[in-house]
Amino acid sequence: ISGTKMKVRYSTDVLTGTMSLEVICDGKAVLNRDVAGSVRDSLTFDNPGHNPVQFILKAKDAAGKFDITY
């Protein structure tokens, strides 16, 4: 998606423990969710200034895999 929108696809297969994903753009959280287990999802949000985007994964005793594509 060009212009002012940004699309992020993410998937997780977290077999044990806990994991959460937070996406921050221009100092504002656009996503903050639990991604433990098997998750396949996407997120589209406005980023008209092409600001840096932070992806924060927080895990505790987690094992498995994750993928983020933007």
Side-chain angles (χ1 to χ4, degrees), residues 2 5 14 20 22-24 26 36 39 45-46 48 52 59 62 67-68 70:
S2 63
K5 300 277 188 192
V14 179
S20 66
E22 187 172 5
V23 179
I24 299 174
D26 197 22
V39 174
F45 57 93
D46 288 320
D67 181 67
I68 298 173
Y70 60 94

Side-chain angles (χ1 to χ4, degrees), residues 45-59:
F45 57 93
D46 288 320
N47 188 1
H50 301 283
N51 293 303
V53 177
Q54 290 180 294
F55 298 94
I56 302 170
L57 286 164
K58 294 181 183 175

Side-chain angles (χ1 to χ4, degrees), residues 5-57:
K5 300 277 188 192
M6 182 167 180
K7 182 169 185 172
V8 177
R9 287 191 313 263
Y10 57 95
S11 63
T12 61
D13 284 304
V14 179
L15 308 175
T16 60
T18 63
M19 181 179 279
S20 66
L21 171 62
E22 187 172 5
V23 179
I24 299 174
C25 178
D26 197 22
K28 299 176 191 79
V30 292
L31 177 75
N32 190 351
R33 70 171 286 190
D34 177 6
V35 291
S38 183
V39 174
R40 307 272 179 282
D41 209 346
S42 65
L43 167 71
T44 302
F45 57 93
D46 288 320
N47 188 1
H50 301 283
N51 293 303
V53 177
Q54 290 180 294
F55 298 94
I56 302 170
L57 286 164

